[in-house]
Amino acid sequence: ILALAASAGAQVAPARPKITSVSHLSVYTSDPAKTETFYVHDLGAMKGIDPQNPAGVRFYFSPIQFVEVLPLPSPAPEHSRFDHAGYNTAEAEQMRLYLAAHHIDVPAKMTQGTDGSKYFEVKDPEGNRVQFVQPPVHPATVPLNPLSSHIIHVGYIVHNPTLEDSFYKDLLGFRPYWHGG
């Protein structure tokens, strides 16, 4: 009877909600004009406002996938122009609860963008900032990009693959796509 009482009181960790796609990559720039030429002229993205950061700009490749470009802070980061990566999920609040149940430091509540998106941010084991985004009900209208309309890969430098695998592979269910650099 004691064992039954103990198991009845145990909490079951929430199931991991699906991560449906890359949402975005956020980077810094020291030259907004050259950055705009690259993303709009060279890659065919659509420039838009940034509903999360008024100082930023988004370059959309699809209604829910983009590159966010932020002004280079002062002092500039020494080794990288990477700010954070973002991944889309249909249930951001469920993802927040799932990560919290697995001892990941999560914010107390969700943040909402001016476009209606919901998101929160955590840090991976090496301190990289990672956002989980529930796209808005009515995402931006983006013309079809003849070069590409689907971001399939976001990469950044990994110093300890075993440590990062514990987060990305074991906890989030990611699969290796490419190694190198």
Side-chain angles (χ1 to χ4, degrees), residues 34-52:
K34 283 184 181 177
T35 300
E36 182 173 341
T37 297
F38 176 70
Y39 285 111
V40 174
H41 177 267
D42 298 348
L43 298 183
M46 183 191 87
K47 182 180 177 182
I49 62 167
D50 186 342
Q52 290 183 3

Side-chain angles (χ1 to χ4, degrees), residues 21 24 73 78 134 141 162 164 176 180:
S21 67
H24 64 280
E78 283 186 42
Q134 183 173 325
T141 301
T162 303
E164 290 288 78

Side-chain angles (χ1 to χ4, degrees), residues 58 63-64 115-118 133-140:
R58 286 185 177 179
I64 60 170
D115 62 350
S117 62
K118 298 175 186 174
V133 180
Q134 183 173 325
V137 174
H138 302 290

Side-chain angles (χ1 to χ4, degrees), residues 36 67 101 132-133 138 141 143-145 150 155 157 159 166 180:
E36 182 173 341
V67 174
F132 294 93
V133 180
H138 302 290
T141 301
L144 183 63
N145 183 323
H150 190 73
I157 297 170
H159 301 283
S166 70

